[in-house]
Amino acid sequence: MDFSQFSTTDISIFSIFLISWLLQIYFIFKRVYPLAFFKKAPITDKPYLPLVSVVICAKNEADNLEKFLPSVLTQDYPDYQVVVVNDTSGDDTEMVLARLKQNHPRLYYTTIPADKRFQHGKKLALTIGIKAASHDYIVFTDADCEPSSNQWLNNMMQGFASHEKELVLGFGGYQKRKGLLNFLIRYDTFYTAIQYLGFALSKKPYMGVGRNLAYRKKLFINNNGFTNHMNLLSGDDDLFVQENANADNTSVVIDAESQTLSVPQTKLRNWRLQKARHLTTSSLYKTGVKLELFLDPLGREIMWILGIFLIIFNTFALAVIGIIILTLLVKTLFFHKAAKKLNQGRIYWGVLIFDFLHPWLLIWAQTGNFSGSNKKKWK
């Protein structure tokens, strides 16, 4: 290619385009690749089946507990308990738990009474649940989550089979329903999983999700639980993982039978509020993680904007078109493999729709935190 025919401005813009493209290639091969080509550890003759407690916090979740808690209580696992913390519910949560308790002796529940003088977040309920747990190994999920199979606990516990492991990251997806909003919710969840699971598999764990997470009680006690961020509404999962996870003590379990499914939002406004709450803690991540999570979408937007500019003005047009097509093909291939690992079907096609739009939707969701209304309650 004869660069003499191009101006300094053209070459500068093309150079920035190439740098942004290289950022995408780095993310794909450094973070997506480990998940896309993840290989499960060989199955041992004797599975690891320690005593385990499941902790669930519930706030006005009577309907969801009625629907989903039985599948948690009937896991194919030798010996475990389920601890439900009823956090100041004003519905029939107490009645539902009492009824389920009659048929499921492994269920234990406790209630935090309402007190207008004392406002608290989910971390208090979780702390009570952890302290009430009888066993050292604890698995966390939410009241609106359903295990994907009766082998959920069994699979999650295999993450602790190597005894130096103290923390297991699982995947919690959302139910598939019709509509673009549901597709967005599942794609956003899938992309978030690519990030935190990809980082963990490349020996840099920084977060997990409370819908499907496990760690040892002694890890919680020895590191003072949520003390460092008790004043924040969120962070019971991601900030705790960031503070206590490392390359040696963390494992990833993503088998189809180890996952949970949650009830998705049905209104865009509600998803925005939920996502905004989840994003409140991202500013507290470690500098290296924050920088990479920032540069990935920034590089993506720059690549698309400058790429379109260069194509429209016929400057390096053929080279730019080739690079964009190649990038989309590679990303779609890797996302396809990652989606297969996470049992997410054809969600990977979302990259063709949301590769450019997704960062802008997150910015829009983030602006929901500016009003402060999202900081008053956890549910």
Side-chain angles (χ1 to χ4, degrees):
M1 181 178 289
D2 182 11
F3 285 91
S4 62
Q5 63 179 307
F6 302 112
S7 68
T8 303
T9 301
D10 291 336
I11 295 175
S12 298
I13 293 175
F14 184 64
S15 298
I16 296 172
F17 169 82
L18 287 178
I19 292 172
S20 65
W21 170 70
L22 288 174
L23 287 173
Q24 295 304 294
I25 296 301
Y26 169 85
F27 178 77
I28 291 170
F29 283 92
K30 182 67 175 180
R31 304 305 180 194
V32 185
Y33 180 90
L35 176 61
F37 293 90
F38 173 73
K39 291 184 179 180
K40 181 182 177 182
I43 299 175
T44 59
D45 294 334
K46 188 177 181 181
Y48 191 60
L49 301 172
L51 297 175
V52 59
S53 298
V54 178
V55 172
I56 299 171
C57 294
K59 191 178 184 74
N60 297 321
E61 295 279 12
D63 291 342
N64 284 326
L65 288 170
E66 187 92 63
K67 189 182 302 182
F68 301 128
L69 190 55
S71 61
V72 177
L73 292 164
T74 55
Q75 288 290 298
D76 182 15
Y77 197 85
D79 196 355
Y80 70 103
Q81 69 167 166
V82 178
V83 178
V84 178
V85 181
N86 176 17
D87 189 2
T88 67
S89 297
D91 63 358
D92 293 333
T93 293
E94 186 89 16
M95 187 183 304
V96 170
L97 291 171
R99 185 166 61 250
L100 288 171
K101 173 70 174 176
Q102 294 177 359
N103 298 319
H104 300 281
R106 61 167 43 102
L107 173 62
Y108 169 82
Y109 68 92
T110 185
T111 298
I112 302 175
D115 187 345
K116 293 182 179 179
R117 297 171 299 175
F118 178 58
Q119 299 295 318
H120 63 272
K122 184 180 181 181
K123 290 171 190 173
L124 174 63
L126 278 170
T127 301
I128 291 173
I130 292 168
K131 290 184 176 180
S134 301
H135 309 309
D136 183 44
Y137 292 90
I138 303 178
V139 179
F140 300 87
T141 190
D142 289 338
D144 64 348
C145 292
E146 180 179 22
S148 59
S149 75
N150 67 353
Q151 298 300 311
W152 169 59
L153 275 185
N154 193 325
N155 278 270
M156 286 295 287
M157 284 301 101
Q158 301 321 301
F160 292 109
S162 179
H163 293 291
E164 74 274 10
K165 302 301 182 184
E166 298 180 288
L167 198 150
V168 176
L169 305 180
F171 174 67
Y174 282 92
Q175 297 171 353
K176 183 178 180 180
R177 296 179 180 176
K178 294 181 179 179
L180 184 59
L181 175 60
N182 181 260
F183 191 81
L184 166 62
I185 291 171
R186 293 190 301 111
Y187 179 83
D188 174 67
T189 304
F190 170 64
Y191 195 85
T192 301
I194 283 179
Q195 290 179 322
Y196 77 84
L197 293 173
F199 268 77
L201 289 170
S202 53
K203 306 301 182 183
K204 199 173 182 179
Y206 76 94
M207 70 161 279
V209 293
R211 300 188 302 276
N212 199 10
L213 177 67
Y215 50 79
R216 301 187 69 168
K217 185 175 182 177
K218 71 175 185 179
L219 181 71
F220 182 86
I221 300 298
N222 292 343
N223 292 281
N224 299 314
F226 307 125
T227 302
N228 293 335
H229 46 85
M230 196 70 179
N231 60 312
L232 301 176
L233 180 65
S234 296
D236 52 275
D237 43 19
D238 57 348
L239 293 184
F240 181 85
V241 170
Q242 179 186 222
E243 290 180 349
N244 298 285
N246 58 57
D248 297 321
N249 76 346
T250 305
S251 66
V252 168
V253 175
I254 57 173
D255 310 77
E257 292 187 327
S258 72
Q259 300 174 11
T260 61
L261 279 173
S262 299
V263 179
Q265 298 289 348
T266 56
K267 295 182 179 179
L268 183 61
R269 176 180 179 276
N270 292 341
W271 173 80
R272 182 195 181 195
L273 291 174
Q274 182 186 61
K275 190 64 183 178
R277 188 169 66 248
H278 293 165
L279 291 171
T280 55
T281 55
S282 59
S283 63
L284 300 176
Y285 293 167
K286 294 175 182 177
T287 302
V289 172
K290 282 195 298 184
L291 181 62
E292 189 168 334
L293 292 178
F294 173 73
L295 288 177
D296 168 44
L298 178 64
R300 210 184 320 154
E301 299 307 295
I302 291 174
M303 187 188 78
W304 278 108
I305 292 171
L306 293 186
I308 292 172
F309 175 85
L310 291 169
I311 291 171
I312 290 175
F313 290 94
N314 200 30
T315 308
F316 304 102
L318 290 178
V320 169
I321 292 172
I323 288 171
I324 290 177
I325 291 175
L326 177 63
T327 304
L328 284 177
L329 286 174
V330 172
K331 184 175 282 191
T332 303
L333 172 64
F334 279 45
F335 276 34
H336 168 56
K337 288 186 173 294
K340 191 173 182 179
K341 297 290 184 183
L342 297 176
N343 196 34
Q344 291 301 291
R346 298 180 178 179
I347 196 68
Y348 60 92
W349 288 115
V351 71
L352 301 178
I353 303 172
F354 294 116
D355 196 58
F356 177 78
L357 290 176
H358 189 237
W360 295 104
L361 290 169
L362 296 184
I363 292 173
W364 175 64
Q366 183 76 277
T367 59
N369 290 316
F370 298 157
S371 66
S373 60
N374 231 18
K375 303 177 183 179
K376 297 177 183 178
K377 54 185 180 178
W378 71 268
K379 187 73 176 175

